[in-house]
Amino acid sequence: MDKLIYVNGIWTGEHLEKIKVSNPATGECIGTVPNGGRKETREAIDAAYKAFPEWSKLTAYERSAYLEKLYDLMIEAIEPLAEMMTLEMGKPLAESRGEVQYAASFIKWYAEEGKRVYGRTIPSHVNHKRMIVTKQPVGVVGAITPWNFPAAMITRKLGPALAAGCTFVVKPADETPLTAIMLAELCERAGIPKGVINVITGKAAPIGEELLTNPRVNKITFTGSTEVGKLLLKQGADQVKNMSMELGGHAPILILDDADIDKAVNNTLLAKFRNGGQTCICGNRIYVEAGIHDEFVERFVRAASKLKVGNGMKEGIDIGPVINRQGYEKIDRHVQNALKQGAKCVLGGSGIVEGDTYFYNPTILTNVKPGMIIMNEETFGPIAPIQKVNSEEEAIKFANQTPYGLAAYVYTENYAKGIRIAEKLNYGIVGWNDGVPSAAQSPFGGMKQSGIGREGGTEGIESYLETKYITVGL
Ligand code: NAP
């Protein structure tokens, strides 16, 4: 499947060198995309810049109609989109279907939310003035997205940006450009005017440099690693670019003595092993209070041992491949470091490497200590390290001891305690007895080095709006 880039409503880039896209479950090449660079990115930015006046002038109701159409087309295309995602990045087909629905939900929700972008009037302190606050779209948006949710990480930006009246240039991850291109095909079929959405594939550095330094780009929205996020913040500093950052996480899971063990096991299974542990909010470290520790471990191991690893296109597979060799090596380094420092492996502990494909078995480690790499760096794999703690206070102290602040989870049936702990956790998202917290209508994002800004919910559209204060002298 050879695809082209989408610039100003035209499929182009035939003349460019091609980049191969591989299936991480088989190593096979599944298609190619053009290696676009600064020139193509500049053309896309120019197209978005030219499309902006007309698009932003439409009423919120008119833009909403386009988004509703796009939503319908995405739902109609669940199967092909899901298959493409599983082929490109390996997640089990059932999870890919779920991602298409989740991705489409952002389009639907912001189709409505765009109609509720309100300003306000402010009572003046003097009789001869009137004070008005209005909202207007920021302008051209440059989006850079990761591979782990190839559709949703785009629509979580695209929905609010288009609803707000912005135009859009997206650079998807190297591993998953084909899903992004399918989304652009659906935008075209939805009749979204030319130039409003543009997709550029190619090497990250030149595309990123153009997006970050071109003065026609008013906003950068990035989802990816904290390391790359910091680089982009530096690159954008000269122009004081308006930037939103959805970065890495290292979610703690706190399981306290009064937890409902069934809820803790079932939700932790999802929070840890969904997408093979390759999600920014996946539980990276588990703190279990001493009184419940052994029972939790026993039941969690029993449940996780049923998970099947393999090609996500096959029926019954729960954990697909690791995205690439670097990802695999990082996971294994974390496991080996923990074992060397005294952790005990109670499930899994090894990977499967065949040719250029990498899988890791669901792994559970106990007797884990705070200094181990796995308790401090994002693992991005199906590894669950469990540390025994002696109290609620100790669990909170360890949970907060990290530069990350994206998601945290807590399991307790005591509601006063649950509220107390949720308030003390320095995280943007707290899942209390809930391992799958994200939803289109809720704000998603991190504190500390996990990001700047929020996506989803009413906060999500604010990122694409400027606030203007108009003072009128009478
Ligand atoms: P990544 O390596 O940071 O890449 C993310 C995107 O940035 C890709 O499109 C990548 O392009 C691009 N990129 C890399 N270097 C760049 C540069 N110098 N200039 C401009 N763009 C550049 O992250 P990833 O491995 O794709 O995704 C996993 C990370 O994303 C994890 O840390 C995860 O926690 C985080 N994440 C966060 C959230 C959230 O909402 N907070 C959600 C999902 C994922 P190439 O692919 O072409 O290199």
Side-chain angles (χ1 to χ4, degrees):
M1 183 179 306
D2 297 327
K3 294 283 185 180
L4 296 173
I5 53 182
Y6 188 57
V7 177
N8 201 23
I10 293 166
W11 295 98
T12 178
E14 302 89 338
H15 58 290
L16 296 168
E17 179 202 342
K18 298 287 179 279
I19 299 176
K20 283 186 182 164
V21 184
S22 305
N23 179 340
T26 62
E28 284 162 359
C29 172
I30 52 169
T32 68
V33 293
N35 183 10
R38 284 195 82 141
K39 178 173 170 288
E40 291 71 29
T41 309
R42 200 171 309 131
E43 286 165 4
I45 294 167
D46 288 344
Y49 182 79
K50 288 197 186 97
F52 177 73
E54 284 301 312
W55 182 251
S56 57
K57 223 170 27 185
L58 295 180
T59 66
Y61 287 80
E62 287 166 322
R63 287 195 295 268
S64 174
Y66 286 110
L67 290 173
E68 291 283 359
K69 179 77 187 153
L70 176 58
Y71 170 80
D72 290 343
L73 289 171
M74 282 184 74
I75 296 300
E76 250 174 48
I78 282 187
E79 275 314 300
L81 274 169
E83 277 178 22
M84 179 55 77
M85 271 195 275
T86 296
L87 288 173
E88 274 192 313
M89 66 75 59
K91 71 176 66 177
L93 198 51
E95 283 193 30
S96 293
R97 289 189 190 110
E99 183 180 338
V100 180
Q101 284 187 312
Y102 173 62
S105 73
F106 287 96
I107 302 296
K108 177 92 176 157
W109 201 78
Y110 284 106
E112 284 301 317
E113 191 63 9
K115 300 173 193 167
R116 297 186 244 289
V117 173
Y118 304 123
R120 68 188 196 278
T121 57
I122 302 175
S124 170
H125 58 296
V126 286
N127 266 333
H128 61 276
K129 283 193 187 190
R130 295 294 178 269
M131 297 171 167
I132 304 163
V133 179
T134 61
K135 300 276 178 180
Q136 61 187 55
V138 292
V140 174
V141 173
I144 302 176
T145 56
W147 51 265
N148 64 340
F149 287 91
M153 294 305 98
I154 294 178
T155 57
R156 206 160 73 169
K157 301 175 186 306
L158 183 71
L162 263 52
C166 298
T167 53
F168 202 79
V169 178
V170 58
K171 180 232 156 311
D174 210 19
E175 289 88 350
T176 56
L178 298 171
T179 304
I181 289 171
M182 280 181 79
L183 284 176
E185 288 168 355
L186 297 180
C187 287
E188 184 184 32
R189 281 180 55 204
I192 294 176
K194 66 176 189 169
V196 172
I197 166 162
N198 305 271
V199 182
I200 298 288
T201 56
K203 296 275 175 287
I207 298 175
E209 271 166 37
E210 187 61 34
L211 288 171
L212 269 297
T213 57
N214 190 316
R216 288 186 160 182
V217 176
N218 304 94
K219 169 154 194 106
I220 294 290
T221 171
F222 172 73
T223 300
S225 61
T226 298
E227 189 191 350
V228 173
K230 287 181 185 176
L231 182 84
L232 302 185
L233 284 167
K234 284 181 195 149
Q235 283 181 358
D238 270 353
Q239 291 182 9
V240 196
K241 282 272 193 247
N242 174 337
M243 292 211 225
S244 294
M245 295 276 147
E246 290 286 342
L247 307 178
H250 198 272
I253 301 178
L254 287 64
I255 300 170
L256 300 162
D257 278 352
D258 51 12
D260 174 323
I261 298 200
D262 282 336
K263 278 186 204 164
V265 167
N266 295 337
N267 281 286
T268 300
L269 214 57
L270 287 171
K272 177 64 258 180
F273 296 111
R274 191 168 62 100
N275 213 9
Q278 303 172 112
T279 81
C280 52
I281 57 166
C282 80
N284 212 109
R285 53 206 160 106
I286 305 174
Y287 301 104
V288 188
E289 210 173 347
I292 206 176
H293 176 273
D294 293 356
E295 191 181 352
F296 173 78
V297 169
E298 196 232 307
R299 286 167 68 173
F300 189 50
V301 168
R302 208 182 320 139
S305 64
K306 296 189 185 126
L307 298 173
K308 291 208 169 55
V309 179
N311 185 338
M313 290 300 275
K314 292 192 184 145
E315 201 57 42
I317 292 299
D318 304 292
I319 298 181
V322 176
I323 190 73
N324 55 29
R325 185 163 61 84
Q326 294 93 299
Y328 177 89
E329 285 174 355
K330 185 180 188 192
I331 294 167
D332 203 44
R333 183 166 58 86
H334 284 196
V335 172
Q336 298 314 325
N337 169 273
L339 293 176
K340 212 185 283 172
Q341 293 191 42
K344 188 173 158 213
C345 182
V346 290
L347 182 73
S350 60
I352 310 148
V353 179
E354 280 166 15
D356 209 15
T357 66
Y358 305 88
F359 294 84
Y360 217 97
N361 290 308
T363 294
I364 300 177
L365 306 172
T366 56
N367 201 29
V368 167
K369 300 280 177 300
M372 295 172 179
I373 297 176
I374 200 162
M375 299 307 264
N376 298 284
E377 279 181 25
E378 192 179 34
T379 308
F380 244 51
I383 319 299
I386 301 177
Q387 182 185 328
K388 194 188 279 185
V389 290
N390 293 312
S391 65
E392 167 191 337
E393 291 72 27
E394 202 184 10
I396 296 168
K397 185 187 87 183
F398 283 124
N400 282 337
Q401 256 177 19
T402 142
Y404 296 105
L406 186 56
Y409 303 89
V410 56
Y411 292 90
T412 172
E413 291 298 305
N414 178 321
Y415 280 65
K417 193 168 169 181
I419 297 223
R420 197 164 63 225
I421 295 175
E423 286 177 356
K424 284 186 185 158
L425 289 169
N426 296 327
Y427 288 82
I429 303 162
V430 176
W432 171 11
N433 293 342
D434 181 9
V436 191
S438 52
Q441 65 274 30
S442 314
F444 186 106
M447 297 181 183
K448 301 199 268 185
Q449 294 191 25
S450 286
I452 302 172
R454 295 291 181 272
E455 292 189 332
T458 49
E459 290 83 353
I461 199 163
E462 276 296 323
S463 306
Y464 300 96
L465 295 166
E466 289 285 8
T467 297
K468 184 173 280 176
Y469 164 49
I470 304 169
T471 171
V472 188
L474 302 180

